[in-house]
Structures are given as C-alpha cells and as structure tokens.
Amino acid sequence: MNNNIVHSIGLGPGDPELVTIKAKRILETSDDVIVPQSDALGRSVAKDIIVHYVDSSRLIMYYFPMNNNKEQLRQRYTELAEKIKALVADGRKVSYVSMGDPTIFSTSNYLTETLLARGINVVHVPGISSINASSSLLGIPLTSKGGDFGVYELPEDVQRTVELIQRHQTTVFMKVNKKLPVLLEAIKSEPPDAAYLVNRVTLDGQQSFDLLNELLPKEPLYLSIALVKKKKLKGTK
Ligand SMILES: C[S@@+](CC[C@H](N)C(=O)[O-])C[C@H]1O[C@@H](n2cnc3c(N)ncnc32)[C@H](O)[C@@H]1O
C-alpha cells in the first residue's frame, strides 16, 4: 500500500449532509484529521461540520492567522507540512479538511504545494462549493447554453468590479465581507440584471439579500458570497 499520501477533503459549504459519501468514508478511516482554524479563540466552521463524522480525539486543530503576513503564513504551512510528513512516516493515515471544494480559494492549495515539495502526494476529494450552494439556494443558473461564469475574489476597486461584471453572464464574487460597499457602488454605477448576496449558505443563520431591491445588511457579514447577472443586451438570451 502506498502510504505516502494525504487526503485533502472538501467538506462542502456547512450543512453536514452536504459532505460527500466518499469524504465521509475517508474521514471515518483516518487516524488524524487536520482542521484549519483562522480564529484565535478556536472557533472553526470546518470543525462544526466534521464533529458529525470524526471523534474529537482524532482531530488536530491548526491555526492560520487571518492576516496578509506572507512570511508568517509560509512558516505555518512549512511547520504543518513537516508535521504531516512525520505522521505519514509513522504509518498514520492523515486527512486535511477545508470548507467547500479544496481547489477553490483554499488553504489546501498552499498546503498541497508545500507537501509536494517534500515528496508527499496529495489526493483531493472534491467538495460542494459555496458557489454551487448559493446558486442552488437562489434557484438561478450559474450559466446556461452559450453563456459563462467567472469566479473572483471581490476587488478593492469599483471600476475593476464593474469590468469583471461585464465579462460574464454570471459573476461570482467571493470573500465579500467588509468590501461589500465596493460591490454596492459598482452595481449602482452600472446596474446589472440581478445581484444577490448570500451569507452563511446552508449554515445556521443563512440569509440572502437581493442587492437591487432590498434593505442591505448594516454590518459586514463574515462568510458571504455574491452572484451578479450582467445586463442582457437587446436580442441576446
Ligand atoms: C477561503 S474561501 C473558501 C471557499 C471554499 N473553498 C468553497 O469552495 O466554497 C472563503 C470564501 O468562500 C465563501 N464561502 C465559504 N463558505 C461559505 C458559506 N457557507 N456561505 C457563504 N459564503 C461562503 C465566502 O465568500 C468566503 O469569504
């Protein structure tokens, strides 16, 4: 058996029923499950999902500071990769989890590079992204025949946001949080056909806002994603 591998598992957007059967099976048979945590107080949405499937004695919480200090983050990834390498060398079956899908804006992407550089192979287990969960909640297509969709981290800049909205049939903006005013300004200057904000999709307290027609959230909402439909030109579908 090749034990020189780690599974990187997507946990889906929050609802424990949206963890795949494959992810559940691998989690249940892992010796150690590493759970990223960005909150110094120990709160972690990933942990809230995973406790449904893994005994807490097998969880290893791992803190990643929520700042843009690249050197500090690089050091945390390096330390984690070394820790995983030692566990794998001891013959332990190790999994690393992340929210949604592990290939989309995920700590898993950086960890994978760091592990590969140390000769550890990473097997990804796809998860349902918050992108899919949000379009399903709203009941609107991400894209349809002849169309397209683009996914971006919401820019800091209004003009760039307007440009991105013009590029696709549907534009998805992730990491909205405190930058919501940028999006609101962009849709005010060039009104699209539709614009929605979804907060905590499939989790307790889930909310959605029609940004063109409703009272808007007064405070920045942690874990929020936006879907914007560009204005259709006359004669196009
Ligand atoms: C670090 S990225 C992780 C994305 C994740 N890999 C995915 O596929 O959904 C975090 C961003 O994903 C979005 N997100 C993740 N989970 C969410 C949820 N339950 N509700 C709304 N947005 C969510 C938000 O835009 C958040 O700022």
Side-chain angles (χ1 to χ4, degrees):
M1 188 180 81
N2 175 9
N3 198 28
N4 200 28
I5 62 159
V6 167
H7 283 96
S8 173
I9 299 180
L11 293 178
D15 179 348
E17 289 192 349
L18 293 179
V19 171
T20 66
I21 293 169
K22 182 163 190 153
K24 176 177 179 286
R25 175 179 60 72
I26 297 171
L27 288 169
E28 285 172 348
T29 54
S30 295
D31 298 309
D32 302 296
V33 178
I34 296 163
V35 185
Q37 171 194 320
S38 54
D39 179 318
L41 297 175
R43 287 171 299 206
S44 155
V45 183
K47 184 178 177 192
D48 294 343
I49 303 170
I50 208 165
V51 289
H52 292 265
Y53 302 107
V54 183
D55 188 86
S56 58
S57 63
R58 287 189 285 130
L59 298 185
I60 300 176
M61 300 303 295
Y62 197 80
Y63 178 61
F64 289 108
M66 279 252 274
N67 61 33
N68 287 327
N69 184 331
K70 285 200 176 125
E71 184 46 36
Q72 201 183 0
L73 276 171
R74 197 191 58 77
Q75 207 180 331
R76 289 302 282 160
Y77 283 110
T78 304
E79 280 168 19
L80 180 55
E82 291 294 340
K83 190 182 176 89
I84 291 174
K85 190 175 172 184
L87 290 168
V88 169
D90 270 354
R92 297 183 71 82
K93 192 172 165 190
V94 180
S95 294
Y96 177 80
V97 297
S98 50
M99 292 285 294
D101 181 83
T103 65
I104 300 175
F105 290 124
S106 170
T107 49
S108 168
N109 292 329
Y110 305 104
L111 180 65
T112 297
E113 275 178 29
T114 321
L115 286 168
L116 290 176
R118 283 163 180 74
I120 310 277
N121 295 315
V122 180
V123 175
H124 289 87
V125 179
I128 296 171
S129 175
S130 55
I131 301 169
N132 308 105
S134 303
S135 59
S136 297
L137 174 76
L138 297 167
I140 58 172
L142 270 175
T143 186
S144 46
K145 191 168 164 52
D148 57 19
F149 72 99
V151 178
Y152 303 89
E153 181 170 343
L154 182 63
E156 311 261 352
D157 172 62
V158 173
Q159 194 47 40
R160 164 108 178 121
T161 307
V162 170
E163 282 163 24
L164 295 178
I165 293 171
Q166 301 307 322
R167 278 192 198 174
H168 305 282
Q169 185 184 43
T170 309
T171 308
V172 177
F173 291 113
M174 303 186 85
K175 305 191 183 184
V176 177
N177 302 346
K178 288 187 202 153
K179 287 180 284 180
L180 179 61
V182 173
L183 178 61
L184 296 178
E185 196 52 43
I187 63 178
K188 200 164 130 198
S189 73
E190 290 277 345
D193 264 0
Y196 297 96
L197 184 77
V198 180
N199 176 228
R200 291 182 62 83
V201 67
T202 79
L203 287 159
D204 283 353
Q206 165 182 286
Q207 306 177 76
S208 62
F209 301 86
D210 176 344
L211 297 179
L212 297 182
N213 298 309
E214 268 178 27
L215 286 176
L216 305 171
K218 293 216 166 36
E219 295 176 348
L221 299 170
Y222 175 65
L223 273 186
S224 50
I225 184 167
L227 270 68
V228 183
K229 291 267 172 196
K230 127 172 128 175
K231 192 123 211 116
K232 285 187 204 113
L233 295 172
K234 272 196 185 133
T236 59
K237 282 192 187 170

